[in-house]
PDB file of all heavy atoms in Angstrom:
ATOM      1  N   ASP A 514     -15.687  66.287 -36.801  1.00  0.00           N
ATOM      2  CA  ASP A 514     -17.161  66.493 -36.962  1.00  0.00           C
ATOM      3  C   ASP A 514     -17.555  67.916 -36.623  1.00  0.00           C
ATOM      4  O   ASP A 514     -18.339  68.563 -37.244  1.00  0.00           O
ATOM      5  CB  ASP A 514     -17.837  65.528 -35.884  1.00  0.00           C
ATOM      6  CG  ASP A 514     -17.977  64.156 -36.447  1.00  0.00           C
ATOM      7  OD1 ASP A 514     -17.837  63.849 -37.527  1.00  0.00           O
ATOM      8  OD2 ASP A 514     -18.252  63.266 -35.549  1.00  0.00           O
ATOM      9  N   ARG A 515     -16.804  68.481 -35.595  1.00  0.00           N
ATOM     10  CA  ARG A 515     -17.034  69.922 -35.309  1.00  0.00           C
ATOM     11  C   ARG A 515     -16.678  70.868 -36.260  1.00  0.00           C
ATOM     12  O   ARG A 515     -17.238  71.848 -36.779  1.00  0.00           O
ATOM     13  CB  ARG A 515     -16.281  70.288 -33.946  1.00  0.00           C
ATOM     14  CG  ARG A 515     -17.012  69.828 -32.716  1.00  0.00           C
ATOM     15  CD  ARG A 515     -16.391  70.368 -31.403  1.00  0.00           C
ATOM     16  NE  ARG A 515     -14.930  70.141 -31.302  1.00  0.00           N
ATOM     17  CZ  ARG A 515     -14.426  69.101 -30.749  1.00  0.00           C
ATOM     18  NH1 ARG A 515     -15.139  68.028 -30.339  1.00  0.00           N
ATOM     19  NH2 ARG A 515     -13.139  68.882 -30.732  1.00  0.00           N
ATOM     20  N   THR A 516     -15.470  70.512 -36.913  1.00  0.00           N
ATOM     21  CA  THR A 516     -15.001  71.371 -37.949  1.00  0.00           C
ATOM     22  C   THR A 516     -15.939  71.237 -39.249  1.00  0.00           C
ATOM     23  O   THR A 516     -16.248  72.303 -39.789  1.00  0.00           O
ATOM     24  CB  THR A 516     -13.572  70.805 -38.526  1.00  0.00           C
ATOM     25  OG1 THR A 516     -12.705  70.922 -37.356  1.00  0.00           O
ATOM     26  CG2 THR A 516     -12.989  71.628 -39.620  1.00  0.00           C
ATOM     27  N   ILE A 517     -16.364  70.119 -39.479  1.00  0.00           N
ATOM     28  CA  ILE A 517     -17.310  69.930 -40.772  1.00  0.00           C
ATOM     29  C   ILE A 517     -18.638  70.746 -40.461  1.00  0.00           C
ATOM     30  O   ILE A 517     -19.121  71.407 -41.323  1.00  0.00           O
ATOM     31  CB  ILE A 517     -17.716  68.554 -40.956  1.00  0.00           C
ATOM     32  CG1 ILE A 517     -16.423  67.756 -41.515  1.00  0.00           C
ATOM     33  CG2 ILE A 517     -18.918  68.398 -41.864  1.00  0.00           C
ATOM     34  CD1 ILE A 517     -16.664  66.205 -41.554  1.00  0.00           C
ATOM     35  N   SER A 518     -19.176  70.726 -39.133  1.00  0.00           N
ATOM     36  CA  SER A 518     -20.257  71.477 -38.817  1.00  0.00           C
ATOM     37  C   SER A 518     -20.123  72.997 -39.012  1.00  0.00           C
ATOM     38  O   SER A 518     -20.955  73.725 -39.566  1.00  0.00           O
ATOM     39  CB  SER A 518     -20.667  71.179 -37.362  1.00  0.00           C
ATOM     40  OG  SER A 518     -21.180  69.844 -37.211  1.00  0.00           O
ATOM     41  N   GLU A 519     -18.959  73.492 -38.555  1.00  0.00           N
ATOM     42  CA  GLU A 519     -18.616  74.837 -38.659  1.00  0.00           C
ATOM     43  C   GLU A 519     -18.452  75.288 -40.037  1.00  0.00           C
ATOM     44  O   GLU A 519     -18.914  76.420 -40.492  1.00  0.00           O
ATOM     45  CB  GLU A 519     -17.319  75.059 -37.869  1.00  0.00           C
ATOM     46  CG  GLU A 519     -17.309  75.016 -36.415  1.00  0.00           C
ATOM     47  CD  GLU A 519     -15.988  75.106 -35.667  1.00  0.00           C
ATOM     48  OE1 GLU A 519     -14.958  75.249 -36.327  1.00  0.00           O
ATOM     49  OE2 GLU A 519     -16.002  74.976 -34.507  1.00  0.00           O
ATOM     50  N   ILE A 520     -17.802  74.461 -40.885  1.00  0.00           N
ATOM     51  CA  ILE A 520     -17.774  74.730 -42.436  1.00  0.00           C
ATOM     52  C   ILE A 520     -19.131  74.776 -43.020  1.00  0.00           C
ATOM     53  O   ILE A 520     -19.331  75.566 -43.833  1.00  0.00           O
ATOM     54  CB  ILE A 520     -16.767  73.707 -42.980  1.00  0.00           C
ATOM     55  CG1 ILE A 520     -15.360  73.999 -42.536  1.00  0.00           C
ATOM     56  CG2 ILE A 520     -16.855  73.945 -44.529  1.00  0.00           C
ATOM     57  CD1 ILE A 520     -14.364  72.981 -42.925  1.00  0.00           C
ATOM     58  N   ASP A 521     -19.822  73.811 -42.616  1.00  0.00           N
ATOM     59  CA  ASP A 521     -21.208  73.741 -43.214  1.00  0.00           C
ATOM     60  C   ASP A 521     -22.105  75.048 -42.868  1.00  0.00           C
ATOM     61  O   ASP A 521     -22.702  75.598 -43.686  1.00  0.00           O
ATOM     62  CB  ASP A 521     -22.105  72.506 -42.832  1.00  0.00           C
ATOM     63  CG  ASP A 521     -21.667  71.236 -43.411  1.00  0.00           C
ATOM     64  OD1 ASP A 521     -21.039  71.267 -44.494  1.00  0.00           O
ATOM     65  OD2 ASP A 521     -21.994  70.204 -43.018  1.00  0.00           O
ATOM     66  N   ALA A 522     -21.950  75.502 -41.706  1.00  0.00           N
ATOM     67  CA  ALA A 522     -22.715  76.645 -41.212  1.00  0.00           C
ATOM     68  C   ALA A 522     -22.132  77.892 -41.897  1.00  0.00           C
ATOM     69  O   ALA A 522     -22.821  78.731 -42.409  1.00  0.00           O
ATOM     70  CB  ALA A 522     -22.536  76.833 -39.748  1.00  0.00           C
ATOM     71  N   ALA A 523     -20.723  77.958 -42.085  1.00  0.00           N
ATOM     72  CA  ALA A 523     -20.200  79.028 -42.771  1.00  0.00           C
ATOM     73  C   ALA A 523     -20.515  79.117 -44.270  1.00  0.00           C
ATOM     74  O   ALA A 523     -20.901  80.118 -44.881  1.00  0.00           O
ATOM     75  CB  ALA A 523     -18.686  79.002 -42.635  1.00  0.00           C
ATOM     76  N   SER A 524     -20.584  77.841 -44.842  1.00  0.00           N
ATOM     77  CA  SER A 524     -20.996  77.834 -46.234  1.00  0.00           C
ATOM     78  C   SER A 524     -22.441  78.322 -46.493  1.00  0.00           C
ATOM     79  O   SER A 524     -22.723  78.975 -47.459  1.00  0.00           O
ATOM     80  CB  SER A 524     -20.921  76.322 -46.731  1.00  0.00           C
ATOM     81  OG  SER A 524     -19.544  75.843 -46.688  1.00  0.00           O
ATOM     82  N   GLY A 525     -23.256  77.871 -45.567  1.00  0.00           N
ATOM     83  CA  GLY A 525     -24.661  78.321 -45.639  1.00  0.00           C
ATOM     84  C   GLY A 525     -24.801  79.883 -45.467  1.00  0.00           C
ATOM     85  O   GLY A 525     -25.538  80.477 -46.227  1.00  0.00           O
ATOM     86  N   LYS A 526     -24.020  80.474 -44.563  1.00  0.00           N
ATOM     87  CA  LYS A 526     -23.997  81.994 -44.486  1.00  0.00           C
ATOM     88  C   LYS A 526     -23.454  82.522 -45.800  1.00  0.00           C
ATOM     89  O   LYS A 526     -23.898  83.586 -46.182  1.00  0.00           O
ATOM     90  CB  LYS A 526     -23.168  82.342 -43.217  1.00  0.00           C
ATOM     91  CG  LYS A 526     -23.811  82.055 -41.938  1.00  0.00           C
ATOM     92  CD  LYS A 526     -22.924  82.485 -40.783  1.00  0.00           C
ATOM     93  CE  LYS A 526     -23.498  82.046 -39.559  1.00  0.00           C
ATOM     94  NZ  LYS A 526     -22.705  82.475 -38.388  1.00  0.00           N
ATOM     95  N   ILE A 527     -22.390  81.983 -46.356  1.00  0.00           N
ATOM     96  CA  ILE A 527     -21.885  82.566 -47.619  1.00  0.00           C
ATOM     97  C   ILE A 527     -22.895  82.449 -48.704  1.00  0.00           C
ATOM     98  O   ILE A 527     -23.075  83.468 -49.491  1.00  0.00           O
ATOM     99  CB  ILE A 527     -20.545  81.773 -47.967  1.00  0.00           C
ATOM    100  CG1 ILE A 527     -19.397  82.122 -47.025  1.00  0.00           C
ATOM    101  CG2 ILE A 527     -20.189  82.105 -49.457  1.00  0.00           C
ATOM    102  CD1 ILE A 527     -18.218  81.254 -47.164  1.00  0.00           C
ATOM    103  N   LEU A 528     -23.582  81.328 -48.808  1.00  0.00           N
ATOM    104  CA  LEU A 528     -24.628  81.154 -49.845  1.00  0.00           C
ATOM    105  C   LEU A 528     -25.811  82.295 -49.645  1.00  0.00           C
ATOM    106  O   LEU A 528     -26.239  82.835 -50.638  1.00  0.00           O
ATOM    107  CB  LEU A 528     -25.168  79.819 -49.924  1.00  0.00           C
ATOM    108  CG  LEU A 528     -24.217  78.628 -50.423  1.00  0.00           C
ATOM    109  CD1 LEU A 528     -24.887  77.351 -50.199  1.00  0.00           C
ATOM    110  CD2 LEU A 528     -23.953  78.913 -51.971  1.00  0.00           C
ATOM    111  N   ASP A 529     -26.258  82.399 -48.417  1.00  0.00           N
ATOM    112  CA  ASP A 529     -27.221  83.404 -48.106  1.00  0.00           C
ATOM    113  C   ASP A 529     -26.763  84.780 -48.494  1.00  0.00           C
ATOM    114  O   ASP A 529     -27.363  85.558 -49.081  1.00  0.00           O
ATOM    115  CB  ASP A 529     -27.557  83.367 -46.544  1.00  0.00           C
ATOM    116  CG  ASP A 529     -28.369  82.035 -46.196  1.00  0.00           C
ATOM    117  OD1 ASP A 529     -28.841  81.429 -47.159  1.00  0.00           O
ATOM    118  OD2 ASP A 529     -28.486  81.786 -45.056  1.00  0.00           O
ATOM    119  N   ASN A 530     -25.537  85.112 -47.967  1.00  0.00           N
ATOM    120  CA  ASN A 530     -24.911  86.430 -48.333  1.00  0.00           C
ATOM    121  C   ASN A 530     -24.763  86.678 -49.930  1.00  0.00           C
ATOM    122  O   ASN A 530     -25.080  87.808 -50.351  1.00  0.00           O
ATOM    123  CB  ASN A 530     -23.636  86.777 -47.659  1.00  0.00           C
ATOM    124  CG  ASN A 530     -23.762  86.839 -46.245  1.00  0.00           C
ATOM    125  OD1 ASN A 530     -24.874  87.177 -45.698  1.00  0.00           O
ATOM    126  ND2 ASN A 530     -22.813  86.573 -45.373  1.00  0.00           N
ATOM    127  N   SER A 531     -24.443  85.649 -50.570  1.00  0.00           N
ATOM    128  CA  SER A 531     -24.338  85.744 -52.139  1.00  0.00           C
ATOM    129  C   SER A 531     -25.624  85.996 -52.779  1.00  0.00           C
ATOM    130  O   SER A 531     -25.736  86.793 -53.658  1.00  0.00           O
ATOM    131  CB  SER A 531     -23.620  84.421 -52.656  1.00  0.00           C
ATOM    132  OG  SER A 531     -22.385  84.145 -52.069  1.00  0.00           O
ATOM    133  N   GLN A 532     -26.635  85.243 -52.228  1.00  0.00           N
ATOM    134  CA  GLN A 532     -27.926  85.465 -52.863  1.00  0.00           C
ATOM    135  C   GLN A 532     -28.483  86.848 -52.578  1.00  0.00           C
ATOM    136  O   GLN A 532     -29.041  87.506 -53.407  1.00  0.00           O
ATOM    137  CB  GLN A 532     -29.020  84.543 -52.294  1.00  0.00           C
ATOM    138  CG  GLN A 532     -30.349  84.424 -52.808  1.00  0.00           C
ATOM    139  CD  GLN A 532     -30.212  84.148 -54.305  1.00  0.00           C
ATOM    140  OE1 GLN A 532     -29.556  83.177 -54.779  1.00  0.00           O
ATOM    141  NE2 GLN A 532     -30.757  84.908 -55.169  1.00  0.00           N
ATOM    142  N   THR A 533     -28.126  87.403 -51.259  1.00  0.00           N
ATOM    143  CA  THR A 533     -28.593  88.699 -51.074  1.00  0.00           C
ATOM    144  C   THR A 533     -27.856  89.719 -51.842  1.00  0.00           C
ATOM    145  O   THR A 533     -28.498  90.630 -52.433  1.00  0.00           O
ATOM    146  CB  THR A 533     -28.293  88.969 -49.528  1.00  0.00           C
ATOM    147  OG1 THR A 533     -28.934  88.078 -48.767  1.00  0.00           O
ATOM    148  CG2 THR A 533     -28.699  90.427 -49.236  1.00  0.00           C
TER     149      THR A 533
END
Side-chain angles (χ1 to χ4, degrees):
D514 286 344
R515 283 190 303 274
T516 301
I517 289 171
S518 293
E519 291 170 3
I520 290 171
D521 282 344
S524 295
K526 288 178 183 178
I527 289 170
L528 287 174
D529 289 345
N530 289 338
S531 296
Q532 187 60 48
T533 301

